[in-house]
């Protein structure tokens, strides 16, 4: 326990003593090494944001997760917030933003992802919380969308099969009701999806989501 406390104390102190002059150098070395970077900004907003777990419990997407899982998330985040200083949490959020911007500015490979499911990161829905934070860090909506399409295909060596809309590519597509290049939050205005060549419209998606919600609710009984 004593060692754990020492580790926690060091963790809280670290964001307050970052040598920011080295961030650019590290970002360049990251690019040169060909490392792919998944920022998971939304997760760290939960861990170091201003909201306790109780404050996050009314998120709409939580209805798709088992209640026991959600209760555990609430307790974990409450505990984290009770044991972490506001000053350190704020500094850590700010430095993570600067690190992502430096990686982007230096041309390091950015890959979209959220590490879901964990701590209020519900698969699928967590991306809609992630993308605005990437824009906030300094990426354009177009660059954010590339991080989940072209960049992913490039990282896995599948540029001839995926990542772009072209003949012969894998047909996984979103049809939106508004332009995400104008506002990245429009990514949530989904009219339908094409999955492996099969079209699912809004009604079908809603029905599938409702079935997931019902299964999650049944697990609480």
């Amino acid at each position: 326990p004593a060692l754990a406390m020492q580790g926690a104390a060091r963790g809280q102190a670290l964001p307050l003593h970052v040598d920011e002059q080295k961030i650019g150098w590290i970002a360049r070395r990251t690019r040169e090494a060909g490392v792919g970077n998944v920022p998971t900004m939304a997760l760290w907003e939960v861990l170091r944001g201003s909201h306790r777990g109780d404050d996050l419990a009314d998120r709409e997407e939580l209805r798709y997760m088992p209640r026991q899982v959600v209760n555990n998330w609430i307790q974990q985040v409450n505990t984290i917030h009770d044991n972490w200083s506001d000053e350190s949490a704020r500094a850590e959020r700010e430095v993570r933003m600067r690190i992502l911007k430096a990686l982007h500015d230096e041309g390091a490979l950015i890959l979209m992802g959220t590490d879901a499911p964990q701590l209020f990161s519900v698969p699928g829905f967590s991306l809609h919380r992630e993308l605005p934070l990437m824009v906030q860090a300094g990426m354009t909506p177009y660059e954010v969308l590339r991080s989940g399409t072209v960049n992913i295909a490039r990282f896995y060596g599948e540029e001839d099969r995926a990542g772009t809309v072209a003949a012969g590519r894998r047909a996984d597509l979103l049809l939106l009701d508004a332009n995400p290049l104008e506002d990245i939050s429009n990514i949530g205005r989904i009219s339908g999806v094409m999955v492996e060549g099969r079209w699912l419209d809004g009604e079908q998606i809603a029905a599938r989501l409702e079935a997931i919600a019902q299964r999650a609710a049944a697990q609480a009984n």
Side-chain angles (χ1 to χ4, degrees):
L3 288 175
M5 288 300 295
Q6 292 174 14
R10 287 195 298 272
Q12 292 204 50
L14 182 61
L16 305 175
H17 300 281
V18 173
D19 185 349
E20 296 194 18
Q21 294 183 346
K22 295 181 179 178
I23 291 178
W25 176 81
I26 292 172
R28 285 192 295 276
R29 293 297 302 272
T30 301
R31 171 180 53 78
E32 292 166 358
V35 174
N37 304 270
V38 184
T40 63
M41 304 298 283
L43 174 61
W44 285 92
E45 278 294 307
V46 169
L47 293 172
R48 301 289 182 259
S50 58
H51 298 292
R52 289 168 49 82
D54 301 304
D55 303 323
L56 303 174
D58 62 350
R59 287 187 170 187
E60 174 66 22
E61 65 264 33
L62 295 180
R63 66 192 292 260
Y64 302 111
M65 298 299 297
R67 190 64 222 176
Q68 185 57 50
V69 171
V70 174
N71 289 339
N72 288 339
W73 287 352
I74 294 170
Q75 293 173 11
Q76 290 179 60
V77 173
N78 282 345
T79 299
I80 290 169
H81 279 250
D82 289 342
N83 291 281
W84 210 267
S85 76
D86 291 340
E87 181 186 21
S88 177
R90 183 171 54 254
E92 187 164 347
R93 294 200 311 276
E94 291 173 355
V95 78
R96 286 185 64 84
M97 284 288 186
R98 287 193 285 273
I99 289 172
L100 176 53
K101 185 177 189 308
L103 288 167
H104 168 256
D105 289 347
E106 292 294 338
L109 187 63
I110 308 298
L111 306 175
M112 185 188 295
T114 64
D115 207 18
Q118 65 161 308
L119 293 179
F120 295 94
S121 288
V122 178
F125 294 91
S126 58
L127 279 177
H128 298 290
R129 299 191 179 275
E130 179 81 9
L131 306 194
L133 294 170
M134 297 172 76
V135 171
Q136 185 180 331
M139 299 175 66
T140 68
Y142 177 72
E143 290 163 343
V144 171
L145 295 177
R146 280 181 64 93
S147 77
T149 52
V150 175
N151 291 7
I152 298 290
R154 173 183 161 195
F155 182 77
Y156 284 107
E158 294 189 349
E159 292 172 278
D160 61 336
R161 293 189 295 163
T164 54
V165 181
R169 300 293 197 271
R170 190 168 61 227
D172 294 340
L173 305 170
L174 287 176
L175 178 62
L176 305 177
D177 291 327
N179 189 352
L181 298 179
E182 297 175 356
D183 183 344
I184 195 63
S185 65
N186 286 335
I187 198 74
R189 299 180 61 180
I190 300 172
S191 176
V193 298
M194 181 74 77
V195 182
E196 296 182 346
R198 188 158 56 99
W199 173 250
L200 297 176
D201 61 26
E203 291 185 1
Q204 291 172 295
I205 294 170
R208 288 175 177 233
L209 286 173
E210 184 58 32
I212 293 172
Q214 290 181 10
R215 288 197 298 271
Q219 293 181 38
N221 299 325

